[in-house]
Amino acid sequence: MIDPFEFSPWDFWTRADAAAHDRQRALLSGLGERPGHELGEGCFVSELASVDNDALRLGDRTYVAAGAYLTGSLRAGTDCSINPYAVVRGTVELGDGVRIGAHTSILGFNHTMSDPELPVFRQPLTAKGIRIGDDVWVGSHVVILDGVTVGDHSVLAAGAVVTKDVPAGAIVGGNPAKLLRWRIPPTGPRGDLGARLAAFADRARDQAGDVLDRSWEGSLFADRPGVAPTVRAQADAIEIADLLLGTAPPQAPLETQIERLRGWQDAATGRVPRLCSPAAEPDDPDVAYHVLSVGYALDLLDSGFAHPLTLVTASSAGEIASFVDGLPWGDRAWHAGHWVDALGTALLWSKRRGDALPTGIHESLLGWLVTHADPATGMWGPIGADGSRLQIVNGFYRASRGTFAQFGMPLPYPERVVDTVLAHVRDDRYFRPDRHDACNVLDVAHPLWLTRATGYRAEEVAATARRLLADALDRWVDGEGFGFRAPSRDDPSREASRPGLQGTEMWLATIWYLADLAGVSDALGYRPRGVHRPEPAPL
């Protein structure tokens, strides 16, 4: 019969008999004689554990239960426990009071796979190491990958797959792990903002169901009560549910939502018309935006368009260049960027579908943008005669989102983009707090995020992000979400200030970008995956 203390050694030294104590002391003595091994007072290592370390340090009262598998270099502090069948391999450091649940794997090394001709098991290993702070609870069946640092007082929920650093005091869970809430909220200037963001995100998640229910008309979503359902409202609901709930909207079966979106696409043109229109008018800006909104909504539902998008499949490279050249960059750069965004995203979906594309069409679109960017502003189109940069900044966001950002391409003049955006955000015509709207703030947040790797004017960028973020967080309306525009002291009753799905979807994404620029996005526990995804879209 196996001694139960082998699996539950917590009170071994107070309850086990003298003979068991003697066997354990002998085992510990033998381990301690190995080179690079050091064991503190009151430790326990099960006879049924596999301990094959190159270097091992266990602090006082640290226990290793039956079935545990230890290799590599492990340094553990005092009062740690490694529960049955846990795996701790590679270079791993544990602080004091780290409790590791059963069947957890902490893997402080990794295989390389750079040589496709060589089997993975024959390729070299790398080891960045894993560091876990003090007073950390690691639940059962958790996986922690190489290179991760876990902060003090944090909790890794059962089943979490931890691929990135965990801030001190955080409770994380899921695959990949993300912030669920705070065990100990951060403190200090950064911490205050982080705690405020975490509280906001908890509030938004708790109320996400109410926000969606409010706009559900029984069979379709409307942007808000009292207005007609739209195609975009269905897509916005899917984006909000994905961000806050991690699922499709629960108001309708998943299959129904997918079939509906795919069924609205015009088989002849690939475009999605308005609900109130029998045809997809080629110049309708809503129809152009449906390339993004419906396409990414389907993507979030693990589906895609049913038919080719003739916007790109039926156009030559020369026709695309001519079309972009004829857009109203001189006075309506936002409108021009809107169509470039649709073209770039149509290219993405066409590549995903495997549709035949005319030779050079992608290069034609990107090439036009590179060769026509203004070296003084980094953007397309002129500054307004009144000094306004609204059109070129908003147009830049739309055009760059669908091309450079979506395909992971470098911008031609990133530092000039920063200069232009920071000058624009000082314009009180648009950035007095009660004049903010989701479009204008997103259209500065995204370009600043897209250019962040330059490090140019980084402190000003972060300060701008914190200021805009603090204003945005105050505008959430319980059970309703965000209005597209901030309530205005000039017109407090304006319709666009009423909360709806569009405002909620856009502000949630904007808040993430601003928080990331301020270095505190991990407090939100969500990351955009749809239209506003920060990473290039996979092909």
Side-chain angles (χ1 to χ4, degrees), residues 237-290:
I238 290 167
E239 297 258 7
I240 292 166
D242 184 77
L243 274 177
L244 298 180
L245 302 176
T247 65
Q251 283 74 14
L254 174 63
E255 296 76 12
T256 300
Q257 298 182 60
I258 292 173
E259 291 171 7
R260 176 182 292 149
L261 292 174
R262 286 169 60 89
W264 284 337
Q265 189 187 22
D266 185 320
T269 66
R271 302 187 185 193
V272 179
R274 298 186 187 210
L275 291 182
C276 60
S277 173
E281 299 296 332
D283 295 328
D284 187 336
D286 281 356
V287 171
Y289 194 74
H290 293 164

Side-chain angles (χ1 to χ4, degrees), residues 25 121 131 164 188 194 212 220 227 273 325 345 350 365 390 485 503 526:
R25 290 191 185 101
F121 78 93
R131 293 166 181 81
K164 296 182 180 180
L212 294 170
L220 291 170
V227 301
D325 197 56
T345 309
S350 298
L365 178 61
L390 179 67
R485 289 194 171 92
Y526 69 75

Side-chain angles (χ1 to χ4, degrees), residues 145-179:
L145 298 185
D146 190 32
V148 165
T149 296
V150 178
D152 297 343
H153 314 299
S154 54
V155 176
L156 313 185
V161 178
V162 184
T163 62
K164 296 182 180 180
D165 291 353
V166 176
I171 301 175
V172 303
N175 179 10
K178 61 183 181 180
L179 182 74

Side-chain angles (χ1 to χ4, degrees), residues 232-447:
R232 176 166 182 165
Q234 317 316 305
D236 286 337
I238 290 167
E239 297 258 7
I240 292 166
D242 184 77
L243 274 177
L244 298 180
L245 302 176
T247 65
Q251 283 74 14
L254 174 63
E255 296 76 12
T256 300
Q257 298 182 60
I258 292 173
E259 291 171 7
R260 176 182 292 149
L261 292 174
R262 286 169 60 89
W264 284 337
Q265 189 187 22
D266 185 320
T269 66
R271 302 187 185 193
V272 179
R274 298 186 187 210
L275 291 182
C276 60
S277 173
E281 299 296 332
D283 295 328
D284 187 336
D286 281 356
V287 171
Y289 194 74
H290 293 164
V291 176
L292 284 64
S293 60
V294 175
Y296 271 105
L298 285 168
D299 190 49
L300 291 173
L301 301 180
D302 293 322
S303 185
F305 280 120
H307 308 290
L309 289 97
T310 60
L311 183 65
V312 290
T313 59
S315 300
S316 68
E319 288 171 333
I320 288 293
S322 178
F323 175 77
V324 175
D325 197 56
L327 292 170
W329 298 103
D331 60 348
R332 290 192 295 150
W334 180 90
H335 181 84
H338 176 79
W339 278 100
V340 169
D341 199 355
L343 286 170
T345 309
L347 279 173
L348 172 68
W349 305 135
S350 298
K351 289 174 181 284
R352 287 262 194 97
R353 283 176 41 83
D355 294 331
L357 288 166
T359 302
I361 188 171
H362 196 170
E363 293 80 0
S364 178
L365 178 61
L366 269 295
W368 190 97
L369 294 171
V370 169
T371 56
H372 286 76
D374 184 344
T377 66
M379 300 185 176
W380 303 280
I383 295 174
D386 60 353
S388 170
R389 296 167 176 81
L390 179 67
Q391 281 290 325
I392 63 169
V393 170
N394 289 11
F396 174 85
Y397 161 67
R398 290 302 305 274
S400 63
R401 192 221 69 86
T403 54
F404 296 97
Q406 192 161 241
F407 292 104
M409 303 291 292
L411 293 167
Y413 305 107
E415 292 186 355
R416 300 293 75 77
V417 170
V418 176
D419 289 336
T420 304
V421 171
L422 290 179
H424 173 53
V425 84
R426 293 194 295 268
D427 192 333
D428 276 351
R429 287 175 291 183
Y430 315 110
F431 288 95
R432 196 177 77 186
D434 68 313
R435 292 174 178 167
H436 289 177
D437 68 43
C439 183
N440 292 350
V441 179
L442 174 62
D443 292 1
V444 302
H446 188 273

